[in-house]
Amino acid sequence: MSTTSLDGKVAVVTGAGAGLGRAEALALADAGARVVLNDLPGAADEAAEEIKNRGGEVAIVEGDVAERSTADAMVAAAVDGFGSLDIVVNNAGMTRDRMIFNMSDDEWDAVIRVHLRGHFLLSRNAASYWRQKSKEADAPIYGRVVNTASEAFLGGSPGQANYAAAKAGIAALTLSTARGLGKIGVRANAICPRARTAMTAAVFGEDTSGMTIDPYSPEHVAPLVAYLAAPAADAITGQVFVVYGGMIAAVAAPGVAPRFDKAGDVWTASDLDAQLGAWFADRDPSEGFAADSIMKLTV
């Protein structure tokens, strides 16, 4: 029988000191998991104290998620400190918003580094641990990865070329993880949350909804993360979910619109113009690969 309990499981949550990461860590702890919190020095202290006050077990690993040493320390804190590593929640992130023509090298590198490299390092270390455990058991093991993408990669937010690219990479990393580790029991999914946090304060502004719980509260996101981490979600992998305000939307995989085939032995300019050019001639040029329908989701 499937269960949503995380009793006996050990989770690592990055960027767990505030906002989404904190809410996710609390949800995992409330479900029974022992939790390793990661954030910059001092940032996760209050979250750890709250978990302890709720009766949970918690450890803190301070450091930059984009440093290999931090990823090593997080896995060690879980395995050596709590005896296992079962759940990885990659949440840590940052923004350096700028139009692409004004974006500096450093602004690009910093966002790609924290988001994409940070997700990769911990996922890679966890994958290595799980693969070894599966070899030792000669059987599938329990492993869950929940990554944090964003609708920015679906809509191509114009002032966030670095952030959108990083989040697209995270979605692809999630799919590769799900397919590459599925046979040994690991499930990997990505969420695209809308949440009012310090990082998104300028995006969502103040809550004027009048609702009991702010539609953009991390409280609407954390339950999904805890569920995806649970045994009950064993059949869910390689998926991307938009989540906020009590709504979860499973994002469909991209599909082919039209297909064009060469008329002769190879494509010619006239053939391309007759087929490809003609198909696009009467289309709205703003209707590209961007998932505009997803961006219009409301609650």
Side-chain angles (χ1 to χ4, degrees), residues 40-93:
L40 297 176
D45 292 348
E46 290 185 7
E49 194 61 31
E50 185 169 356
I51 289 174
K52 290 177 184 177
N53 291 338
R54 295 186 183 193
E57 294 184 61
V58 63
I60 298 175
V61 172
E62 297 179 336
D64 179 354
V65 294
E67 292 290 341
R68 169 66 187 269
S69 58
T70 304
D72 292 347
M74 285 188 279
V75 172
V79 176
D80 299 337
F82 289 137
S84 181
L85 173 58
D86 307 289
I87 300 158
V88 164
V89 178
N90 282 304
N91 166 76

Side-chain angles (χ1 to χ4, degrees), residues 3 40 45 51 55 64 106 110 131-133 141 165 185 188 199 202 209 215 219 249 259 261 271 281 284:
T3 176
L40 297 176
D45 292 348
I51 289 174
D64 179 354
D106 288 345
R131 182 169 179 264
Q132 184 59 37
K133 295 294 288 184
I141 47 79
M199 193 176 79
S209 69
E219 292 180 55
R259 169 179 162 166
D261 292 287
D271 190 12
D284 182 343

Side-chain angles (χ1 to χ4, degrees), residues 138-190:
D138 193 25
I141 47 79
Y142 190 96
R144 296 287 188 270
V145 177
V146 182
N147 288 333
T148 308
S150 168
E151 289 170 278
F153 98 86
L154 294 167
S157 45
Q160 296 182 306
N162 48 5
Y163 184 73
K167 293 305 189 180
I170 287 168
L173 174 65
T174 304
L175 298 179
S176 182
T177 302
R179 292 192 164 188
L181 302 181
K183 289 183 179 180
I184 64 169
V186 177
R187 307 292 180 255
N189 296 285

Side-chain angles (χ1 to χ4, degrees), residues 11-296:
V12 173
V13 183
T14 68
L20 270 173
R22 178 176 180 144
E24 291 162 349
L26 289 169
L28 293 166
D30 287 346
R34 290 168 289 173
V35 187
V36 176
L37 308 181
N38 158 261
D39 216 311
L40 297 176
D45 292 348
E46 290 185 7
E49 194 61 31
E50 185 169 356
I51 289 174
K52 290 177 184 177
N53 291 338
R54 295 186 183 193
E57 294 184 61
V58 63
I60 298 175
V61 172
E62 297 179 336
D64 179 354
V65 294
E67 292 290 341
R68 169 66 187 269
S69 58
T70 304
D72 292 347
M74 285 188 279
V75 172
V79 176
D80 299 337
F82 289 137
S84 181
L85 173 58
D86 307 289
I87 300 158
V88 164
V89 178
N90 282 304
N91 166 76
M94 60 180 285
T95 54
R96 294 290 185 270
D97 295 352
R98 194 88 61 184
M99 294 300 290
I100 191 167
F101 44 78
N102 285 329
M103 186 170 290
S104 70
D105 295 3
D106 288 345
E107 287 166 340
W108 172 270
D109 291 343
V111 171
I112 297 295
R113 178 179 177 276
V114 170
H115 285 276
L116 189 52
R117 177 177 166 84
H119 272 62
F120 159 70
L121 287 175
L122 181 54
S123 295
R124 188 269 313 280
N125 284 16
S128 179
Y129 168 77
W130 287 327
R131 182 169 179 264
Q132 184 59 37
K133 295 294 288 184
S134 179
K135 282 185 174 182
E136 292 171 1
D138 193 25
I141 47 79
Y142 190 96
R144 296 287 188 270
V145 177
V146 182
N147 288 333
T148 308
S150 168
E151 289 170 278
F153 98 86
L154 294 167
S157 45
Q160 296 182 306
N162 48 5
Y163 184 73
K167 293 305 189 180
I170 287 168
L173 174 65
T174 304
L175 298 179
S176 182
T177 302
R179 292 192 164 188
L181 302 181
K183 289 183 179 180
I184 64 169
V186 177
R187 307 292 180 255
N189 296 285
I191 61 169
C192 297
R194 297 182 195 175
R196 198 187 311 279
T197 66
M199 193 176 79
T200 61
V203 177
F204 298 121
E206 296 295 322
D207 176 22
T208 59
S209 69
M211 297 181 180
T212 304
I213 300 177
D214 179 358
Y216 295 115
S217 169
E219 292 180 55
H220 294 298
V221 178
L224 173 61
V225 172
Y227 178 75
L228 291 174
D234 191 62
I236 305 173
T237 194
Q239 305 299 317
V240 175
F241 299 98
V242 175
V243 52
Y244 86 106
M247 175 210 72
I248 298 169
V251 179
V256 175
R259 169 179 162 166
F260 306 96
D261 292 287
K262 60 182 176 56
D265 293 333
V266 296
W267 284 107
T268 63
S270 59
D271 190 12
L272 284 167
D273 191 46
Q275 295 194 57
L276 192 63
W279 193 78
F280 280 98
D282 297 323
R283 287 173 55 86
D284 182 343
S286 68
E287 294 181 7
F289 192 70
D292 293 330
S293 62
I294 295 174
M295 302 300 292
K296 294 174 184 176

